[in-house]
């Protein structure tokens, strides 16, 4: 009797990416949103497994409403799994988040997920009137409410961060009765342990350092789940930065200008030094954090990370710094038609 070989879902995620004019000025956020929807439709057509929309509130990354974007994509696609990557539930209302995604799930026929995060970028806190001093309390209580709503049609709940609910009916209900809800984290040990204790799948956002360093966190997550008695729904996924092109050299030349522009912009805000090409090359090559390369290179690196983390989904943010839309669509197509089959073949040999 032969065992089923492991497999990895391959996908993409985006915060929206505003294009730039030749003089470097930003084009419209409306164009960025239309480009994002077009990218999701193409991802569905070429066979990607997953597309996530993350929440940001900046001129450069204007996808501020993942629920609305996912609902639009649900109506325009037929098979791809759609989710948030992430929804910042600390500064949103869990009832409305659930309702928006359950509505999109109904439109999609049951293909929608939520990834609940605290927000590594904190622009939503002043925007919605929340105090960063309550960062963890907001997340813990609102996550508890979101999970309660997901599990029960009628909800009784009380806490300190929003009004209590008493036998409240929250509709619509998802197609399968509940939504897959992931815990999103940038690599916090307490968050890994929390996901395990709650029996939630965990999504790691890896944007720096060596991805293999997340192996102890994945081990902590699985150990915490086992200690809490959870055996089902224990899954790990990885969100990373990168781009696929026909060759590794081409991928680097396509991605570097946007990467440099993005980190120069962030540096001006956060007081960082301007990034260098040497730093980029170190991060873009194994064992660095960025998955920038040709199909063979990217497939081999995903499978190598799987040996460390045992993750079941690997998805890339590719559209940063005004990446030309044609390069994004090319990368999405190569991920689905070239990288994914290579990953499957490499895993089958294990």
């Amino acid at each position: 009797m032969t065992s089923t070989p492991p497999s990895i879902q391959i996908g993409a995620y985006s915060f929206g990416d505003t294009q730039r004019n030749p003089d470097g000025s930003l084009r419209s956020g409306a164009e960025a949103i239309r480009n994002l929807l077009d990218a999701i439709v193409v991802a569905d057509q070429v066979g990607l497994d997953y597309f996530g929309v993350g929440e940001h509130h900046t001129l450069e990354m204007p996808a501020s409403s993942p629920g609305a974007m996912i609902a639009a994509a649900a109506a325009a696609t037929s098979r791809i799994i759609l989710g948030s990557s992430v929804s910042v539930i600390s500064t949103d209302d869990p009832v409305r988040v659930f309702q928006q995604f359950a509505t999109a799930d109904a439109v999609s026929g049951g293909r929608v997920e939520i990834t609940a995060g605290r927000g590594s970028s904190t622009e939503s806190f002043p925007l919605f009137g929340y105090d960063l001093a309550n960062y963890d309390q907001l997340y813990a209580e609102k996550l508890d409410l979101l999970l309660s709503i997901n599990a029960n049609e009628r909800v009784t709940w009380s806490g300190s961060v929003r009004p209590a609910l008493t036998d409240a009916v929250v509709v619509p209900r998802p197609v399968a009765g509940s939504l897959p809800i992931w815990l999103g984290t940038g690599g916090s040990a307490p968050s890994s342990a929390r996901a395990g204790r709650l029996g939630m799948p965990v999504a790691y956002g890896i944007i720096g350092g060596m991805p293999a360093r997340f192996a102890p966190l994945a081990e902590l997550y699985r150990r915490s789940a086992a200690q809490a008695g959870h055996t089902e729904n224990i899954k790990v996924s990885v969100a990373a930065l990168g781009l696929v092109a026909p060759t590794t050299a081409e991928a680097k030349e396509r991605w570097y200008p946007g990467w440099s522009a993005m980190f120069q912009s962030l540096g001006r805000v956060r007081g960082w030094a301007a990034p260098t090409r040497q730093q980029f090359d170190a991060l873009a090559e194994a064992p660095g954090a960025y998955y920038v390369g040709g199909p063979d290179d990217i497939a081999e690196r995903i499978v190598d990370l799987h040996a460390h983390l045992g993750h079941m989904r690997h998805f890339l943010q590719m559209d940063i710094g005004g990446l030309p839309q044609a390069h994004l669509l090319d990368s999405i197509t190569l991920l689905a038609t070239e990288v994914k089959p290579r990953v499957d073949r490499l895993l089958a040999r294990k």
Side-chain angles (χ1 to χ4, degrees):
M1 184 175 179
T2 58
S3 60
T4 303
S7 63
I8 302 177
Q9 293 179 357
I10 302 297
Y13 75 107
S14 173
F15 299 109
D17 184 37
T18 304
Q19 302 288 292
R20 292 182 178 271
N21 295 308
D23 65 0
S25 60
L26 289 172
R27 283 154 60 171
S28 75
E31 179 189 36
I33 296 299
R34 291 192 299 270
N35 283 344
L36 176 52
L37 180 58
D38 288 346
I40 300 172
V41 170
V42 169
D44 181 63
Q45 292 170 345
V46 298
L48 269 194
D49 296 311
Y50 172 82
F51 206 109
V53 177
E55 179 181 344
H56 265 296
H57 301 266
T58 67
L59 292 172
E60 294 84 359
M61 298 180 182
S64 59
S65 181
M69 196 76 235
I70 292 301
T77 58
S78 61
R79 53 161 299 280
I80 195 167
I81 299 168
L82 301 166
S84 58
S85 296
V86 301
S87 294
V88 184
I89 60 165
S90 303
T91 55
D92 209 335
D93 186 89
V95 176
R96 290 302 281 162
V97 170
F98 180 85
Q99 289 175 326
Q100 290 162 2
F101 281 84
T103 299
D105 188 64
V107 173
S108 76
R111 294 182 284 117
V112 168
E113 304 177 349
I114 297 173
T115 301
R118 292 192 287 191
S120 58
S121 296
T122 56
E123 67 265 7
S124 65
F125 283 79
L127 186 64
F128 297 115
Y130 288 96
D131 190 339
L132 276 169
N134 301 323
Y135 188 74
D136 193 64
Q137 182 183 11
L138 284 163
Y139 182 67
E141 289 195 21
K142 290 192 176 187
L143 178 61
D144 180 63
L145 176 55
L146 181 64
L147 295 177
S148 296
I149 295 167
N150 196 43
N152 304 285
E153 186 176 282
R154 292 181 176 272
V155 181
T156 296
W157 180 92
S158 64
S160 64
V161 298
R162 59 144 289 148
L165 297 172
T166 302
D167 199 29
V169 177
V170 180
V171 293
R173 302 307 299 176
V175 171
S178 62
L179 293 170
I181 299 182
W182 296 68
L183 188 149
T185 173
S188 157
S191 291
S192 297
R194 180 180 345 213
R197 289 195 305 271
L198 293 173
M200 297 176 66
V202 67
Y204 289 116
I206 302 178
I207 60 174
M210 293 184 293
R213 69 186 172 86
F214 278 72
L217 293 173
E219 182 182 350
L220 171 63
Y221 160 67
R222 292 188 174 100
R223 186 168 66 249
S224 300
Q227 290 171 348
H230 299 297
T231 56
E232 298 180 4
N233 208 34
I234 303 306
K235 303 174 184 176
V236 172
S237 70
V238 168
L241 299 170
L243 188 79
V244 188
T247 67
T248 294
E250 219 172 334
K252 288 181 179 180
E253 292 311 308
R254 289 181 179 186
W255 211 60
Y256 175 73
W259 176 88
S260 179
M262 182 181 75
F263 276 92
Q264 285 184 48
S265 177
L266 286 172
R268 285 190 291 271
V269 174
R270 301 184 183 183
W272 299 341
T276 67
R277 180 60 193 248
Q278 290 75 18
Q279 289 172 321
F280 171 80
D281 287 336
L283 285 163
E285 297 168 0
Y290 302 157
Y291 290 77
V292 180
D296 285 326
D297 185 25
I298 300 306
E300 288 168 4
R301 291 188 61 194
I302 290 173
V303 172
D304 177 73
L305 185 62
H306 181 267
H308 295 279
L309 299 188
H311 60 310
M312 53 73 63
R313 177 185 293 164
H314 194 109
F315 53 112
L316 297 181
Q317 181 188 2
M318 300 171 280
D319 54 342
I320 61 172
L323 180 78
Q325 181 76 349
H327 291 343
L328 172 62
L329 300 183
D330 192 27
S331 185
I332 286 171
T333 301
L334 289 169
L335 263 180
T337 62
E338 299 293 337
V339 174
K340 182 174 169 54
R342 284 168 167 79
V343 168
D344 290 341
R345 288 196 294 270
L346 289 170
L347 285 174
R349 297 174 190 166
K350 298 292 183 179

